[in-house]
Amino acid sequence: MKKKLVVFSGAGISAESGLRTFRDSDGLWEEYNVMDVATPEAWQKDMALVLEFYNKRRVQILEANPNPAHHAVKLLEEKYDVTVITQNIDDLHERAGSSHVVHLHGNIRFARSTNPSDADRLYPIKGNHLNPGDKCPEGFQLRPHVVWFGEEVPLLPVAQKIVERADYLIISGTSLTVYPAANLIYAANYKCKKYLVDPGSIHVTDIENLSFIKEKASLGLPKLAEMLLKEEVING
């Protein structure tokens, strides 16, 4: 039986494919006020502006391609039972071939209904745009399938259970400052081998069995994948 390996990925991985992050100095929040485009209140106030913001993001995502970090994660499926838990709303992990991806904050390639009783059903968005007047079969306006500020993260309990069962946990592309998702690292068993791949200085001092790889994702993840594939062959 394959050992369970979980990859917890954040915006840093997508940034290496050319997708601007929200929190960088040149990020998208420099052009938009977060309260105007990424909250339930913003949707109620100016639906067209919110849709425009996510339409622009969708265009950027469709023009981007998976990078070596995404492909390294896919490669790990050769020897491990891999689940990707991502904070990203792009589909680059899927386009790289990853089989099991949990999107904590949604997937911009999908829409969901504003009908509360149908909020869990997803509708693929054809093309780049979701527009005012685009409705579900029941006649309710469709909204981007993203978790806005102030909304609950419905898949967080699912992700926590996945991490609890992991034999290996890889964290990359995240500053571990976006809560509640950042708490997932604490759900891992103390015996779980943990790897933090990041070129910066992330201060995590109370996690057992944690190794640091001070590389950006596109360099560090391929190296780590190569090491783990060899380790599984040796120990398998």
Side-chain angles (χ1 to χ4, degrees), residues 101-185:
V101 184
V102 177
H103 284 269
L104 286 179
H105 297 149
N107 184 337
I108 201 171
R109 299 293 303 277
F110 292 86
R112 55 189 175 93
S113 176
T114 51
N115 179 4
S117 64
D118 191 35
D120 294 334
R121 186 185 303 179
L122 301 182
Y123 299 88
I125 297 174
K126 298 178 181 179
N128 299 336
H129 289 74
L130 181 64
N131 300 304
D134 290 344
K135 297 181 179 181
C136 72
E138 287 74 30
F140 290 82
Q141 173 68 40
L142 292 172
R143 56 161 280 183
H145 173 47
V146 295
V147 176
W148 288 325
F149 289 95
E151 293 185 320
E152 293 184 358
V153 183
L155 290 180
L156 191 62
V158 174
Q160 182 170 333
K161 290 182 180 179
I162 293 170
V163 173
E164 287 174 354
R165 297 192 294 266
D167 298 297
Y168 298 85
L169 174 63
I170 300 171
I171 305 103
S172 185
T174 174
S175 61
L176 294 177
T177 59
V178 179
Y179 292 92
N183 285 325
L184 281 175
I185 189 172

Side-chain angles (χ1 to χ4, degrees), residues 34-230:
V34 60
M35 300 306 294
D36 292 337
V37 294
T39 66
E41 294 78 14
W43 176 257
Q44 296 298 325
K45 179 182 178 181
D46 195 339
M47 177 181 64
L49 178 64
V50 174
L51 290 174
E52 177 189 19
F53 171 75
Y54 286 101
N55 287 341
K56 288 181 178 179
R57 291 224 63 205
R58 197 173 297 108
V59 169
Q60 294 170 352
I61 287 168
L62 288 170
E63 291 176 347
N65 293 305
N67 63 59
H70 298 101
H71 292 298
V73 171
K74 161 58 180 174
L75 194 62
L76 285 164
E77 292 187 14
E78 292 181 4
K79 297 293 181 180
Y80 294 90
D81 179 1
V82 179
T83 301
V84 179
I85 300 172
T86 185
Q87 295 174 304
N88 301 331
I89 61 174
D90 60 66
D91 63 344
L92 294 179
H93 279 296
E94 287 91 341
R95 280 195 266 155
S98 287
S99 304
H100 306 288
V101 184
V102 177
H103 284 269
L104 286 179
H105 297 149
N107 184 337
I108 201 171
R109 299 293 303 277
F110 292 86
R112 55 189 175 93
S113 176
T114 51
N115 179 4
S117 64
D118 191 35
D120 294 334
R121 186 185 303 179
L122 301 182
Y123 299 88
I125 297 174
K126 298 178 181 179
N128 299 336
H129 289 74
L130 181 64
N131 300 304
D134 290 344
K135 297 181 179 181
C136 72
E138 287 74 30
F140 290 82
Q141 173 68 40
L142 292 172
R143 56 161 280 183
H145 173 47
V146 295
V147 176
W148 288 325
F149 289 95
E151 293 185 320
E152 293 184 358
V153 183
L155 290 180
L156 191 62
V158 174
Q160 182 170 333
K161 290 182 180 179
I162 293 170
V163 173
E164 287 174 354
R165 297 192 294 266
D167 298 297
Y168 298 85
L169 174 63
I170 300 171
I171 305 103
S172 185
T174 174
S175 61
L176 294 177
T177 59
V178 179
Y179 292 92
N183 285 325
L184 281 175
I185 189 172
Y186 295 98
N189 187 286
Y190 74 96
K191 292 182 179 179
C192 172
K193 293 184 179 180
K194 308 168 189 73
Y195 301 91
L196 178 56
V197 182
D198 196 278
S201 297
I202 299 179
H203 300 288
V204 182
T205 59
D206 55 346
I207 301 295
E208 296 178 285
N209 214 4
L210 177 63
S211 301
F212 293 86
I213 300 174
K214 294 200 65 149
E215 299 262 19
K216 62 182 184 179
S218 62
L219 294 177
L221 276 175
K223 292 178 182 178
L224 178 57
E226 182 180 4
M227 183 192 77
L228 288 175
L229 289 171
K230 289 180 178 178

